[in-house]
Amino acid sequence: MATPQTSASLFSPDVLFDNPVFAGGIGLASIGAAAAFARRGAIVAFGATRRRLLVNVEISKQDPAYPWILAWLSQPREAAGFIASRITRIHNLSVTTTTTHTKGPYAGGPVNASFFLQPGYGRHVVKFGNAYIAVSREKHSTANMNTGEPHEIVQLTTLWAYRHTFEGIFAEAHRLAAKANEGKTIVYSARGMEWAPLGDPRKKRPLGSVILDDGVKESIVADVKDFLSRQGWYVDRGIPYRRGYLLYGPPGSGKSSFIQALAGELDFGVATINLSEMGMTDDKLAYLLTKLPKRCLLLLEDADAAFVNRRQRDADGYSGASVTFSGLLNALDGVAAGEERIAFLTTNHIERLDPALIRPGRVDMMLRIGEATKYQAGQMWDRFYGDEDNSGSRKEHFLRRLDELGLFGTNPDGTPSNRRTSTAAIQGLFLFNKSNMQGAIDMAQGLIPRNFEEEDAASDAAHK
């Protein structure tokens, strides 16, 4: 029978370590722990070394530079050397397609398609100068709650020693984007709570293509340019750096066309908001106006439409715009109103606007852009037929014909005619007679405004 002394000796350190089974287990466990510790240490050391040696730049899809970087990555580039050409070879591509109509006698002719290949989702390597750039384009599972689009990022990685390469990359990407939009005007619209380009950029409209009455266009352009040159003046005097314009008058007088042409003249974009849009609220309007894209004219068309929401609900339950009068005032000139802003309001019914909306500070300059005048009709004739009508005799005949029809507000005998026409109607007449000056003169009677409701009533009465 084992004595207590004998049992204790079995568990003594000397006996345990003399046991080959126990000693082997301890050795294996020690080796495993040392290996795990070494592995973890290597990972930590690698991470620290990576952080020391590499630099990352992440560009989100919500950032304006995101499409610029994708366009820059789409540029063809040839790597010098056999190894470099193999390293920078991109295997995963995505395509962006644009279509244009071929130039021909018919607008509905064949369509040309242009395909732009760019690095797809995954990891790629490109070379810029002497630096190799690792590119990782990823699509996340989360999505934008406003649009439903998945979030995307592009991450650029290079050695710390080449960190200044990113400045060159972004500069070149911006230069490419500016070159692509050269001669074009970008129009932005509100998409949810963010601004997004509305379709492709439009070709700039020449300022001379918009014919306003004598001196009207020049006064607005001069005022806008003076405002842009005086930011320091406003700051020194503690005045909010913003300017508001109200263009009012009948439809077809050229209000929106002039704003688009002015944006092209200034090399600005146009950010447009529809105040009667379903879902437009005071908070959303105020937020959008504080987040306007840089170098953009703000356009609020049909400002009077914001105050017609007192009507009854439609069958679909929609009761009109939800922008209130006070909400619009606060967005334009409230405590939270943004600065560095040029806002244009347009309306066909100035009598519907409250005086509080058009007071100085909210609207600094009001101009009526009305019916066509003799000056405008003459300028438009020169623009369409000036190359053919060298003597100007046909122009005088056309203007005399409009006078006979009383389309400038008075009859030939000086009495009020109560007739007016619009520049849009004159342009439509000229477009119908592109190379036929006499046809435009003969069809001038078609410029007389027609009241279809009265004509229909008279026709109904005649048939009874």
Side-chain angles (χ1 to χ4, degrees):
M1 184 173 179
T3 63
Q5 184 177 1
T6 305
S7 300
S9 64
L10 292 176
F11 295 98
S12 64
D14 293 339
V15 174
L16 290 175
F17 282 104
D18 288 340
N19 187 317
V21 175
F22 181 80
I26 290 293
L28 291 175
S30 301
I31 294 173
F37 182 80
R39 179 176 178 274
R40 183 173 181 82
I43 293 174
V44 172
F46 177 77
T49 304
R50 187 177 185 275
R51 287 192 297 272
R52 292 281 185 178
L53 296 180
L54 302 180
V55 58
N56 301 319
V57 173
E58 183 178 291
I59 308 103
S60 170
K61 189 175 183 179
Q62 283 69 42
D63 191 274
Y66 187 84
W68 304 350
I69 292 297
L70 289 185
W72 174 77
L73 291 170
S74 305
Q75 297 300 304
R77 50 177 63 87
E78 295 183 4
F82 177 82
I83 297 178
S85 63
R86 296 303 184 271
I87 293 176
T88 58
R89 183 177 294 175
I90 297 176
H91 297 278
N92 298 329
L93 300 170
S94 63
V95 64
T96 300
T97 306
T98 59
T99 58
T100 56
H101 286 283
T102 57
K103 293 182 179 179
Y106 304 107
V111 175
N112 284 338
S114 300
F115 304 94
F116 298 95
L117 294 176
Q118 57 194 20
Y121 299 104
R123 298 181 180 277
H124 319 280
V125 176
V126 297
K127 189 178 182 183
F128 182 77
N130 295 324
Y132 286 92
I133 312 294
V135 180
S136 176
R137 186 181 178 191
E138 302 174 4
K139 181 186 292 186
H140 292 179
S141 58
T142 56
N144 187 320
M145 298 300 293
N146 295 319
T147 62
E149 295 178 338
H151 289 297
E152 296 181 14
I153 65 166
V154 169
Q155 182 172 278
L156 308 179
T157 304
T158 191
L159 291 173
W160 176 262
Y162 294 103
R163 62 191 180 278
H164 300 298
T165 301
F166 292 128
E167 298 176 5
I169 291 175
F170 284 108
E172 183 170 332
H174 181 262
R175 181 182 59 80
L176 290 172
K179 185 177 181 181
N181 294 325
E182 188 175 349
K184 298 179 181 178
T185 300
I186 303 176
V187 178
Y188 296 90
S189 66
R191 185 182 299 174
M193 299 296 288
E194 303 294 335
W195 290 100
L198 183 62
D200 295 330
R202 280 77 164 161
K203 289 185 178 180
K204 286 184 180 179
R205 180 164 184 168
L207 194 59
S209 68
V210 182
I211 309 298
L212 302 183
D213 203 7
D214 191 17
V216 174
K217 177 171 57 178
E218 292 76 10
S219 64
I220 302 175
V221 173
D223 190 82
V224 172
K225 290 184 176 180
D226 179 74
F227 170 76
L228 292 174
S229 66
R230 290 181 177 270
Q231 182 173 4
W233 188 91
Y234 279 79
V235 173
D236 293 342
R237 288 157 180 78
I239 303 173
Y241 186 59
R242 48 179 177 256
R243 191 82 171 156
Y245 301 86
L246 174 65
L247 307 182
Y248 66 97
S253 55
K255 298 183 292 294
S256 299
S257 299
F258 168 71
I259 294 169
Q260 181 183 348
L262 176 62
E265 174 73 12
L266 301 173
D267 200 20
F268 272 44
V270 177
T272 177
I273 292 182
N274 182 2
L275 294 174
S276 59
E277 176 187 348
M278 185 182 296
M280 182 63 68
T281 64
D282 291 347
D283 291 341
K284 180 178 178 180
L285 177 64
Y287 179 81
L288 289 171
L289 263 59
T290 60
K291 297 294 183 181
L292 281 174
K294 298 296 184 183
R295 295 183 63 81
C296 269
L297 302 179
L298 171 65
L299 174 57
L300 300 175
E301 290 192 285
D302 300 325
D304 55 284
F307 316 114
V308 296
N309 58 333
R310 299 178 179 88
R311 60 184 174 84
Q312 298 296 319
R313 290 181 180 272
D314 292 337
D316 60 358
Y318 179 53
S319 62
S322 54
V323 175
T324 65
F325 179 67
S326 61
L328 178 59
L329 296 184
N330 290 329
L332 290 175
D333 191 33
V335 175
E339 296 199 11
E340 298 186 26
R341 184 186 70 206
I342 301 176
F344 279 87
L345 284 73
T346 66
T347 181
N348 299 329
H349 306 281
I350 191 173
E351 69 278 0
R352 298 179 184 174
L353 299 182
D354 193 286
L357 176 63
I358 56 179
R359 71 158 177 79
R362 295 189 178 111
V363 171
D364 303 291
M365 190 175 185
M366 289 191 299
L367 286 168
R368 185 178 189 275
I369 299 181
E371 300 83 356
T373 63
K374 182 178 289 189
Y375 171 82
Q376 289 174 281
Q379 291 291 311
M380 293 180 70
W381 179 277
D382 289 339
R383 185 163 186 83
F384 277 84
Y385 303 117
D387 294 340
E388 302 175 38
D389 186 20
N390 297 321
S391 64
S393 59
R394 296 293 184 91
K395 171 182 173 181
E396 294 301 324
H397 190 183
F398 176 73
L399 295 178
R400 190 164 54 249
R401 178 60 178 152
L402 296 190
D403 261 329
E404 293 171 357
L405 295 171
L407 290 175
F408 297 132
T410 57
N411 292 313
D413 59 2
T415 59
S417 65
N418 297 322
R419 281 182 182 175
R420 290 284 189 175
T421 190
S422 66
T423 54
I426 296 176
Q427 179 173 286
L429 174 67
F430 291 164
L431 289 174
F432 193 81
N433 299 276
K434 296 181 180 66
S435 301
N436 187 359
M437 291 185 288
Q438 188 59 44
I441 297 172
D442 295 339
M443 295 177 63
Q445 189 169 355
L447 295 175
I448 299 176
R450 300 174 63 186
N451 190 324
F452 293 99
E453 292 182 359
E454 292 182 1
E455 290 181 3
D456 293 341
S459 177
D460 293 341
H463 285 84
K464 287 183 178 179

